[in-house]
Amino acid sequence: MLLLLMISCLSFIFLSKFLYFKPLHTWAIEKMSLCSSMSMLKTKTMLCVLGSSSNMPKKEKSNRFEVEVEEEETTKDMWLLDLPDLVLESILEKLPPSGLCRMAGVCRSLRDRCRSNYFWERHMKEKWGSVIGDAAYREWQWHIASSSSTCSSSFNGKKKKARFVWSLSRILCYDRKKNRPSLSDNSIMSLYAALESGNFWFPAQVYNRENGHVGFMLSCYDADVNYDSQTDSFHARYPPHGRRPAVIEGGVQWDRLRKPPVDTSAHYLHISNCLNELRPGNHIEIQWRRNKEFPYGWWYGVIGHLEMCDKTDYHCQCHNSDTVVLEFNQYTPGSRWTRATINRKNHREEGNETEGFYGGIRKLDSNQEITTWKRLWPAEVLA
Protein backbone atom coordinates (compact mmCIF):
# COMPACT_ATOMS: atom_id res chain seq x y z
CA MET A 1 0.00 0.00 0.00
CA LEU A 2 2.83 2.34 0.95
CA LEU A 3 4.63 1.49 -2.26
CA LEU A 4 1.54 2.37 -4.35
CA LEU A 5 1.23 5.76 -2.61
CA MET A 6 4.89 6.63 -3.32
CA ILE A 7 4.52 5.75 -7.00
CA SER A 8 1.44 8.03 -7.31
CA CYS A 9 3.25 10.96 -5.69
CA LEU A 10 6.32 10.61 -7.86
CA SER A 11 4.13 10.49 -11.03
CA PHE A 12 2.29 13.65 -10.04
CA ILE A 13 5.53 15.53 -9.33
CA PHE A 14 7.10 14.44 -12.62
CA LEU A 15 4.02 15.38 -14.67
CA SER A 16 3.77 18.81 -13.01
CA LYS A 17 7.40 19.62 -13.83
CA PHE A 18 6.95 18.47 -17.40
CA LEU A 19 3.90 20.69 -17.99
CA TYR A 20 5.53 23.67 -16.29
CA PHE A 21 8.86 23.64 -18.10
CA LYS A 22 7.83 22.42 -21.57
CA PRO A 23 8.14 25.33 -24.10
CA LEU A 24 5.27 26.40 -26.39
CA HIS A 25 5.12 25.02 -29.89
CA THR A 26 6.32 27.27 -32.69
CA TRP A 27 2.86 27.53 -34.21
CA ALA A 28 1.42 28.72 -30.90
CA ILE A 29 4.04 31.45 -30.61
CA GLU A 30 3.43 32.55 -34.20
CA LYS A 31 -0.34 32.65 -33.64
CA MET A 32 0.04 34.80 -30.54
CA SER A 33 2.36 37.15 -32.44
CA LEU A 34 -0.08 37.41 -35.35
CA CYS A 35 -3.02 38.15 -33.04
CA SER A 36 -0.97 40.85 -31.31
CA SER A 37 -0.01 42.41 -34.66
CA MET A 38 -3.61 42.38 -35.88
CA SER A 39 -4.77 44.01 -32.68
CA MET A 40 -2.17 46.77 -33.03
CA LEU A 41 -3.12 47.26 -36.71
CA LYS A 42 -6.82 47.58 -35.85
CA THR A 43 -6.02 50.05 -33.10
CA LYS A 44 -3.90 52.20 -35.42
CA THR A 45 -6.55 52.05 -38.14
CA MET A 46 -9.29 53.16 -35.76
CA LEU A 47 -7.13 56.00 -34.56
CA CYS A 48 -6.46 57.12 -38.14
CA VAL A 49 -10.14 56.96 -39.04
CA LEU A 50 -11.17 58.82 -35.94
CA GLY A 51 -8.42 61.34 -36.47
CA SER A 52 -9.32 61.99 -40.12
CA SER A 53 -13.08 62.04 -39.60
CA SER A 54 -13.10 64.15 -36.48
CA ASN A 55 -13.24 67.91 -36.85
CA MET A 56 -12.11 68.46 -33.26
CA PRO A 57 -8.53 69.74 -32.87
CA LYS A 58 -6.01 67.86 -30.75
CA LYS A 59 -5.64 70.80 -28.43
CA GLU A 60 -8.17 73.41 -27.58
CA LYS A 61 -8.11 76.34 -29.97
CA SER A 62 -7.66 79.77 -28.68
CA ASN A 63 -10.35 81.29 -30.84
CA ARG A 64 -13.15 80.43 -33.23
CA PHE A 65 -11.26 81.62 -36.33
CA GLU A 66 -8.59 78.91 -36.00
CA VAL A 67 -11.29 76.22 -35.72
CA GLU A 68 -12.99 77.44 -38.91
CA VAL A 69 -9.68 77.54 -40.79
CA GLU A 70 -8.88 73.93 -39.81
CA GLU A 71 -12.36 72.74 -40.81
CA GLU A 72 -11.96 74.45 -44.17
CA GLU A 73 -8.55 72.82 -44.77
CA THR A 74 -9.88 69.38 -43.76
CA THR A 75 -12.78 69.71 -46.22
CA LYS A 76 -10.43 70.83 -48.99
CA ASP A 77 -8.28 67.74 -48.52
CA MET A 78 -11.30 65.52 -49.24
CA TRP A 79 -12.02 66.77 -52.79
CA LEU A 80 -12.19 63.99 -55.41
CA LEU A 81 -10.14 66.03 -57.87
CA ASP A 82 -7.29 66.22 -55.37
CA LEU A 83 -6.68 62.50 -55.82
CA PRO A 84 -3.69 61.50 -57.97
CA ASP A 85 -4.55 61.13 -61.66
CA LEU A 86 -3.87 57.41 -61.65
CA VAL A 87 -6.22 56.85 -58.70
CA LEU A 88 -8.96 58.99 -60.22
CA GLU A 89 -8.68 57.20 -63.56
CA SER A 90 -8.91 53.85 -61.80
CA ILE A 91 -12.17 54.99 -60.19
CA LEU A 92 -13.64 56.25 -63.45
CA GLU A 93 -12.65 53.02 -65.23
CA LYS A 94 -14.95 51.08 -62.90
CA LEU A 95 -18.01 53.19 -63.71
CA PRO A 96 -20.67 52.00 -66.18
CA PRO A 97 -21.81 54.39 -68.94
CA SER A 98 -24.61 55.73 -66.76
CA GLY A 99 -22.13 56.39 -63.95
CA LEU A 100 -19.78 58.25 -66.30
CA CYS A 101 -22.68 60.43 -67.41
CA ARG A 102 -23.66 61.30 -63.86
CA MET A 103 -20.05 61.99 -62.94
CA ALA A 104 -19.66 64.23 -66.01
CA GLY A 105 -22.47 66.42 -64.71
CA VAL A 106 -20.60 67.29 -61.51
CA CYS A 107 -18.20 69.90 -62.86
CA ARG A 108 -16.33 70.95 -65.99
CA SER A 109 -13.13 69.14 -65.04
CA LEU A 110 -14.89 65.80 -64.51
CA ARG A 111 -16.92 66.34 -67.66
CA ASP A 112 -13.76 66.63 -69.72
CA ARG A 113 -12.34 63.51 -68.11
CA CYS A 114 -15.48 61.40 -68.43
CA ARG A 115 -15.85 62.16 -72.14
CA SER A 116 -12.40 60.79 -72.93
CA ASN A 117 -12.23 58.03 -75.54
CA TYR A 118 -10.06 56.10 -73.10
CA PHE A 119 -13.04 55.34 -70.85
CA TRP A 120 -15.56 54.74 -73.64
CA GLU A 121 -13.53 52.32 -75.78
CA ARG A 122 -14.12 49.49 -73.31
CA HIS A 123 -17.86 50.16 -73.14
CA MET A 124 -18.10 50.24 -76.93
CA LYS A 125 -16.28 46.94 -77.21
CA GLU A 126 -18.30 45.22 -74.49
CA LYS A 127 -21.76 46.17 -75.76
CA TRP A 128 -21.35 46.90 -79.46
CA GLY A 129 -18.19 45.02 -80.44
CA SER A 130 -20.08 42.04 -81.90
CA VAL A 131 -22.22 44.13 -84.27
CA ILE A 132 -20.15 47.23 -85.07
CA GLY A 133 -17.50 46.64 -87.74
CA ASP A 134 -15.42 48.67 -90.16
CA ALA A 135 -18.43 49.31 -92.39
CA ALA A 136 -20.35 50.82 -89.46
CA TYR A 137 -17.43 53.08 -88.52
CA ARG A 138 -17.18 54.31 -92.11
CA GLU A 139 -20.89 55.00 -92.11
CA TRP A 140 -20.48 56.97 -88.88
CA GLN A 141 -17.71 59.07 -90.40
CA TRP A 142 -19.92 59.83 -93.37
CA HIS A 143 -22.84 60.55 -91.06
CA ILE A 144 -21.02 63.16 -88.97
CA ALA A 145 -19.37 64.71 -92.04
CA SER A 146 -22.65 65.17 -93.90
CA SER A 147 -24.91 66.00 -90.98
CA SER A 148 -25.64 69.67 -90.40
CA SER A 149 -28.22 68.97 -87.69
CA THR A 150 -28.03 70.78 -84.38
CA CYS A 151 -28.04 69.24 -80.96
CA SER A 152 -31.80 69.45 -80.59
CA SER A 153 -32.49 67.56 -83.79
CA SER A 154 -29.77 64.99 -83.29
CA PHE A 155 -31.25 63.98 -79.98
CA ASN A 156 -34.93 64.47 -80.53
CA GLY A 157 -37.45 63.78 -77.81
CA LYS A 158 -38.21 60.08 -77.90
CA LYS A 159 -39.78 58.79 -74.74
CA LYS A 160 -38.27 55.38 -75.20
CA LYS A 161 -34.70 56.58 -74.63
CA ALA A 162 -32.90 55.32 -71.59
CA ARG A 163 -32.32 57.92 -68.89
CA PHE A 164 -28.56 57.88 -69.23
CA VAL A 165 -28.92 58.46 -73.00
CA TRP A 166 -30.56 61.74 -72.10
CA SER A 167 -27.55 62.50 -69.92
CA LEU A 168 -25.28 61.76 -72.86
CA SER A 169 -27.26 64.06 -75.12
CA ARG A 170 -27.22 66.88 -72.59
CA ILE A 171 -23.45 66.59 -72.19
CA LEU A 172 -23.02 66.63 -75.96
CA CYS A 173 -25.34 69.61 -76.27
CA TYR A 174 -23.50 71.65 -73.66
CA ASP A 175 -20.45 72.46 -75.73
CA ARG A 176 -22.48 73.02 -78.89
CA LYS A 177 -24.66 75.61 -77.18
CA LYS A 178 -21.57 77.29 -75.76
CA ASN A 179 -19.77 76.99 -79.12
CA ARG A 180 -17.00 75.02 -77.46
CA PRO A 181 -15.49 72.42 -79.80
CA SER A 182 -13.82 70.48 -76.97
CA LEU A 183 -15.98 67.42 -77.69
CA SER A 184 -15.64 66.25 -81.27
CA ASP A 185 -18.58 64.52 -82.95
CA ASN A 186 -16.00 61.90 -83.83
CA SER A 187 -15.67 60.89 -80.17
CA ILE A 188 -16.57 57.39 -79.07
CA MET A 189 -18.98 58.84 -76.52
CA SER A 190 -20.87 60.58 -79.31
CA LEU A 191 -21.10 57.34 -81.31
CA TYR A 192 -22.23 55.45 -78.21
CA ALA A 193 -24.97 58.01 -77.63
CA ALA A 194 -26.15 57.82 -81.25
CA LEU A 195 -26.32 54.04 -81.09
CA GLU A 196 -28.20 53.98 -77.79
CA SER A 197 -30.70 56.59 -78.93
CA GLY A 198 -31.50 54.69 -82.13
CA ASN A 199 -30.81 57.72 -84.30
CA PHE A 200 -27.95 56.04 -86.12
CA TRP A 201 -28.67 53.28 -88.66
CA PHE A 202 -25.54 51.25 -89.29
CA PRO A 203 -24.69 48.37 -91.65
CA ALA A 204 -24.67 44.86 -90.20
CA GLN A 205 -25.77 41.36 -91.19
CA VAL A 206 -28.85 39.48 -89.98
CA TYR A 207 -29.15 35.71 -89.64
CA ASN A 208 -32.37 34.08 -90.89
CA ARG A 209 -33.87 37.35 -92.11
CA GLU A 210 -37.56 38.24 -91.94
CA ASN A 211 -38.28 36.37 -88.71
CA GLY A 212 -36.79 33.10 -89.93
CA HIS A 213 -38.69 32.95 -93.21
CA VAL A 214 -38.30 29.45 -94.64
CA GLY A 215 -36.72 30.88 -97.78
CA PHE A 216 -33.84 32.37 -95.78
CA MET A 217 -33.02 29.64 -93.25
CA LEU A 218 -29.29 29.35 -92.49
CA SER A 219 -28.44 32.51 -94.38
CA CYS A 220 -27.08 35.91 -93.39
CA TYR A 221 -28.02 39.08 -95.30
CA ASP A 222 -26.87 42.68 -95.25
CA ALA A 223 -29.17 45.22 -93.64
CA ASP A 224 -29.17 48.64 -92.04
CA VAL A 225 -30.10 48.31 -88.38
CA ASN A 226 -30.84 50.60 -85.47
CA TYR A 227 -31.26 49.92 -81.77
CA ASP A 228 -34.47 50.06 -79.78
CA SER A 229 -33.48 50.65 -76.14
CA GLN A 230 -37.00 50.00 -74.87
CA THR A 231 -37.02 46.39 -76.08
CA ASP A 232 -33.24 45.84 -76.21
CA SER A 233 -33.58 44.68 -79.80
CA PHE A 234 -33.10 46.06 -83.31
CA HIS A 235 -34.97 47.10 -86.41
CA ALA A 236 -33.50 45.75 -89.65
CA ARG A 237 -34.08 47.48 -92.98
CA TYR A 238 -33.34 45.25 -95.97
CA PRO A 239 -32.64 47.05 -99.28
CA PRO A 240 -35.10 46.66 -102.17
CA HIS A 241 -34.20 44.25 -104.97
CA GLY A 242 -35.97 43.43 -108.20
CA ARG A 243 -39.65 44.21 -107.86
CA ARG A 244 -39.57 43.66 -104.14
CA PRO A 245 -39.71 46.84 -102.01
CA ALA A 246 -37.59 47.47 -98.95
CA VAL A 247 -38.54 45.32 -95.97
CA ILE A 248 -38.27 46.40 -92.31
CA GLU A 249 -38.18 43.73 -89.62
CA GLY A 250 -38.58 44.54 -85.94
CA GLY A 251 -37.60 42.68 -82.80
CA VAL A 252 -34.27 41.39 -84.13
CA GLN A 253 -32.37 39.99 -81.15
CA TRP A 254 -28.66 40.43 -80.49
CA ASP A 255 -27.83 36.81 -81.30
CA ARG A 256 -29.16 37.23 -84.84
CA LEU A 257 -26.79 40.07 -85.68
CA ARG A 258 -23.14 40.15 -86.63
CA LYS A 259 -20.69 42.59 -88.12
CA PRO A 260 -19.80 41.84 -91.77
CA PRO A 261 -16.87 39.39 -91.78
CA VAL A 262 -15.54 40.63 -95.14
CA ASP A 263 -15.43 44.04 -96.73
CA THR A 264 -17.41 43.06 -99.83
CA SER A 265 -20.66 44.66 -100.94
CA ALA A 266 -23.70 42.40 -101.26
CA HIS A 267 -23.82 43.29 -104.97
CA TYR A 268 -20.25 42.21 -105.75
CA LEU A 269 -18.54 38.85 -105.98
CA HIS A 270 -16.27 38.05 -103.07
CA ILE A 271 -12.80 36.99 -104.24
CA SER A 272 -12.16 33.61 -102.65
CA ASN A 273 -8.62 32.87 -101.43
CA CYS A 274 -9.33 29.51 -99.79
CA LEU A 275 -10.35 27.32 -102.75
CA ASN A 276 -7.12 25.32 -102.79
CA GLU A 277 -7.49 24.55 -99.08
CA LEU A 278 -11.01 23.13 -99.19
CA ARG A 279 -11.42 19.51 -98.14
CA PRO A 280 -14.47 17.36 -97.36
CA GLY A 281 -15.86 18.23 -93.95
CA ASN A 282 -14.80 21.89 -94.02
CA HIS A 283 -17.44 24.38 -92.90
CA ILE A 284 -18.04 27.25 -95.31
CA GLU A 285 -20.17 30.25 -96.14
CA ILE A 286 -20.93 30.91 -99.78
CA GLN A 287 -22.54 33.84 -101.53
CA TRP A 288 -25.84 32.99 -103.21
CA ARG A 289 -28.53 35.03 -104.91
CA ARG A 290 -31.79 34.11 -106.60
CA ASN A 291 -31.07 36.06 -109.78
CA LYS A 292 -28.89 38.89 -111.05
CA GLU A 293 -31.17 41.56 -109.59
CA PHE A 294 -30.93 40.23 -106.07
CA PRO A 295 -28.10 41.01 -103.60
CA TYR A 296 -25.92 38.20 -102.34
CA GLY A 297 -26.54 36.55 -99.01
CA TRP A 298 -24.11 34.31 -97.12
CA TRP A 299 -25.33 30.71 -96.82
CA TYR A 300 -23.96 28.01 -94.54
CA GLY A 301 -22.75 24.68 -95.96
CA VAL A 302 -20.05 22.03 -95.80
CA ILE A 303 -17.66 20.56 -98.35
CA GLY A 304 -18.76 17.10 -99.50
CA HIS A 305 -17.20 14.15 -101.28
CA LEU A 306 -17.27 13.42 -105.01
CA GLU A 307 -19.58 10.69 -106.23
CA MET A 308 -16.76 8.24 -107.00
CA CYS A 309 -15.06 8.75 -103.61
CA ASP A 310 -15.42 6.00 -100.98
CA LYS A 311 -15.56 8.78 -98.31
CA THR A 312 -12.76 7.37 -96.17
CA ASP A 313 -9.94 9.61 -94.96
CA TYR A 314 -7.25 7.18 -96.09
CA HIS A 315 -8.38 6.87 -99.72
CA CYS A 316 -10.09 10.25 -100.26
CA GLN A 317 -8.57 12.33 -103.05
CA CYS A 318 -11.34 14.93 -103.36
CA HIS A 319 -8.98 17.73 -102.39
CA ASN A 320 -6.91 17.02 -105.51
CA SER A 321 -9.87 17.40 -107.85
CA ASP A 322 -10.78 20.65 -109.61
CA THR A 323 -14.41 20.02 -108.72
CA VAL A 324 -15.61 21.06 -105.25
CA VAL A 325 -18.85 19.63 -103.90
CA LEU A 326 -21.03 21.90 -101.74
CA GLU A 327 -23.60 20.34 -99.42
CA PHE A 328 -26.49 22.09 -97.73
CA ASN A 329 -27.77 19.47 -95.33
CA GLN A 330 -30.61 21.60 -93.99
CA TYR A 331 -32.51 20.44 -97.10
CA THR A 332 -33.95 16.98 -97.65
CA PRO A 333 -31.78 14.49 -99.58
CA GLY A 334 -32.57 14.64 -103.27
CA SER A 335 -33.67 18.29 -103.18
CA ARG A 336 -32.19 20.49 -105.88
CA TRP A 337 -30.82 22.71 -103.10
CA THR A 338 -28.93 19.92 -101.29
CA ARG A 339 -25.82 19.74 -103.51
CA ALA A 340 -23.96 21.98 -105.91
CA THR A 341 -20.52 21.96 -107.52
CA ILE A 342 -18.05 24.67 -108.38
CA ASN A 343 -14.68 24.76 -110.15
CA ARG A 344 -11.75 25.09 -107.80
CA LYS A 345 -9.35 26.75 -110.29
CA ASN A 346 -11.60 28.96 -112.39
CA HIS A 347 -14.36 29.79 -109.97
CA ARG A 348 -16.41 32.86 -110.73
CA GLU A 349 -20.14 33.25 -110.29
CA GLU A 350 -21.77 29.95 -111.30
CA GLY A 351 -25.43 29.00 -111.66
CA ASN A 352 -28.61 29.79 -113.57
CA GLU A 353 -32.01 31.43 -113.13
CA THR A 354 -33.54 28.16 -111.93
CA GLU A 355 -31.13 27.18 -109.16
CA GLY A 356 -29.66 30.60 -108.42
CA PHE A 357 -26.10 31.86 -108.63
CA TYR A 358 -23.22 30.85 -106.35
CA GLY A 359 -20.51 33.40 -105.64
CA GLY A 360 -17.47 33.67 -103.39
CA ILE A 361 -16.62 31.27 -100.55
CA ARG A 362 -15.37 31.80 -97.01
CA LYS A 363 -13.82 28.90 -95.14
CA LEU A 364 -14.89 28.95 -91.48
CA ASP A 365 -11.95 28.39 -89.14
CA SER A 366 -13.59 29.91 -86.07
CA ASN A 367 -15.41 27.54 -83.74
CA GLN A 368 -17.57 30.44 -82.63
CA GLU A 369 -18.88 31.01 -86.16
CA ILE A 370 -19.55 27.30 -86.68
CA THR A 371 -21.36 27.08 -83.33
CA THR A 372 -23.52 30.07 -84.25
CA TRP A 373 -24.67 28.41 -87.49
CA LYS A 374 -25.43 25.14 -85.72
CA ARG A 375 -27.47 27.00 -83.10
CA LEU A 376 -29.62 28.44 -85.90
CA TRP A 377 -30.25 25.02 -87.45
CA PRO A 378 -33.95 24.62 -88.36
CA ALA A 379 -36.11 22.36 -86.21
CA GLU A 380 -37.34 20.53 -89.32
CA VAL A 381 -35.55 19.54 -92.52
CA LEU A 382 -36.39 21.92 -95.36
CA ALA A 383 -37.92 20.66 -98.59
Side-chain angles (χ1 to χ4, degrees):
M1 185 67 179
L2 183 61
L3 179 62
L4 180 62
L5 181 62
M6 291 178 62
I7 293 174
S8 300
C9 292
L10 289 173
S11 301
F12 176 78
I13 294 171
F14 177 79
L15 181 62
S16 300
K17 290 182 178 181
F18 176 80
L19 291 174
Y20 181 79
F21 291 105
K22 185 176 182 180
L24 291 173
H25 289 290
T26 305
W27 64 268
I29 298 175
E30 291 177 351
K31 185 173 182 180
M32 293 175 62
S33 176
L34 177 61
C35 292
S36 177
S37 300
M38 291 296 294
S39 178
M40 292 178 62
L41 179 61
K42 289 182 180 179
T43 303
K44 290 182 179 180
T45 304
M46 290 298 297
L47 289 173
C48 291
V49 171
L50 292 174
S52 61
S53 61
S54 175
N55 291 327
M56 296 297 296
K58 293 183 179 179
K59 62 181 181 178
E60 187 176 357
K61 297 295 179 180
S62 59
N63 55 58
R64 184 176 178 182
F65 175 77
E66 292 182 4
V67 176
E68 291 178 352
V69 169
E70 182 171 350
E71 289 179 351
E72 193 171 300
E73 291 176 353
T74 303
T75 304
K76 182 178 180 181
D77 291 339
M78 297 176 65
W79 279 108
L80 180 64
L81 294 177
D82 289 335
L83 293 173
D85 289 344
L86 185 59
V87 176
L88 182 56
E89 287 182 0
S90 298
I91 295 174
L92 296 179
E93 282 180 348
K94 303 297 183 182
L95 295 179
S98 56
L100 281 175
C101 291
R102 287 193 293 268
M103 188 68 75
V106 173
C107 64
R108 183 182 301 174
S109 178
L110 284 175
R111 183 172 60 251
D112 293 339
R113 286 177 178 268
C114 292
R115 295 180 308 190
S116 171
N117 286 347
Y118 174 77
F119 298 115
W120 287 93
E121 284 177 351
R122 178 174 62 87
H123 297 304
M124 275 293 300
K125 183 177 181 180
E126 288 180 355
K127 181 165 186 177
W128 300 100
S130 62
V131 297
I132 295 291
D134 293 338
Y137 282 109
R138 286 195 299 270
E139 182 69 18
W140 173 247
Q141 295 294 328
W142 178 87
H143 176 78
I144 61 177
S146 61
S147 176
S148 58
S149 58
T150 61
C151 178
S152 59
S153 62
S154 294
F155 295 90
N156 48 40
K158 293 183 179 180
K159 295 182 179 179
K160 67 181 182 180
K161 289 182 183 179
R163 181 174 299 177
F164 85 92
V165 176
W166 280 106
S167 301
L168 280 171
S169 65
R170 282 159 50 188
I171 295 169
L172 294 172
C173 293
Y174 177 82
D175 284 340
R176 294 176 184 171
K177 289 180 179 179
K178 300 292 184 178
N179 293 323
R180 294 174 180 169
S182 58
L183 175 63
S184 170
D185 283 338
N186 196 28
S187 67
I188 298 178
M189 180 180 180
S190 182
L191 173 58
Y192 194 101
L195 290 168
E196 287 284 346
S197 67
N199 289 317
F200 176 50
W201 290 76
F202 60 92
Q205 291 182 348
V206 183
Y207 292 102
N208 296 350
R209 60 176 283 181
E210 300 181 32
N211 297 308
H213 188 283
V214 66
F216 297 104
M217 292 299 292
L218 289 190
S219 68
C220 198
Y221 275 79
D222 286 9
D224 290 331
V225 301
N226 79 328
Y227 180 63
D228 184 348
S229 60
Q230 189 174 19
T231 61
D232 191 28
S233 62
F234 296 84
H235 297 96
R237 184 172 59 202
Y238 305 103
H241 49 270
R243 298 180 180 179
R244 188 171 185 176
V247 177
I248 297 181
E249 175 187 354
V252 178
Q253 300 300 316
W254 284 87
D255 58 359
R256 287 181 54 206
L257 282 184
R258 75 175 183 183
K259 55 188 176 184
V262 295
D263 194 16
T264 305
S265 169
H267 296 278
Y268 293 94
L269 179 73
H270 172 66
I271 304 302
S272 307
N273 56 8
C274 63
L275 295 177
N276 293 328
E277 305 171 7
L278 296 178
R279 294 172 174 265
N282 289 157
H283 300 263
I284 61 159
E285 292 178 10
I286 185 168
Q287 288 178 309
W288 183 86
R289 58 181 174 179
R290 189 69 181 83
N291 57 48
K292 297 287 187 177
E293 296 180 353
F294 279 55
Y296 283 116
W298 289 98
W299 293 73
Y300 172 72
V302 295
I303 302 300
H305 291 272
L306 297 171
E307 291 292 343
M308 70 283 296
C309 180
D310 61 4
K311 301 181 181 179
T312 61
D313 294 339
Y314 184 76
H315 297 287
C316 179
Q317 296 295 319
C318 295
H319 58 280
N320 294 323
S321 173
D322 291 343
T323 301
V324 179
V325 177
L326 312 175
E327 292 183 349
F328 305 95
N329 295 320
Q330 63 268 36
Y331 296 98
T332 56
S335 169
R336 63 174 177 169
W337 308 112
T338 304
R339 288 171 64 92
T341 59
I342 62 171
N343 188 284
R344 190 190 300 267
K345 291 186 176 180
N346 301 312
H347 175 59
R348 300 295 296 173
E349 185 180 59
E350 300 180 23
N352 52 58
E353 294 289 339
T354 302
E355 298 181 354
F357 296 88
Y358 296 90
I361 295 179
R362 290 184 60 236
K363 180 184 175 185
L364 301 182
D365 295 318
S366 168
N367 289 330
Q368 182 178 1
E369 287 186 294
I370 298 172
T371 302
T372 299
W373 282 113
K374 290 183 176 180
R375 176 179 54 81
L376 297 169
W377 198 271
E380 298 180 358
V381 179
L382 307 176

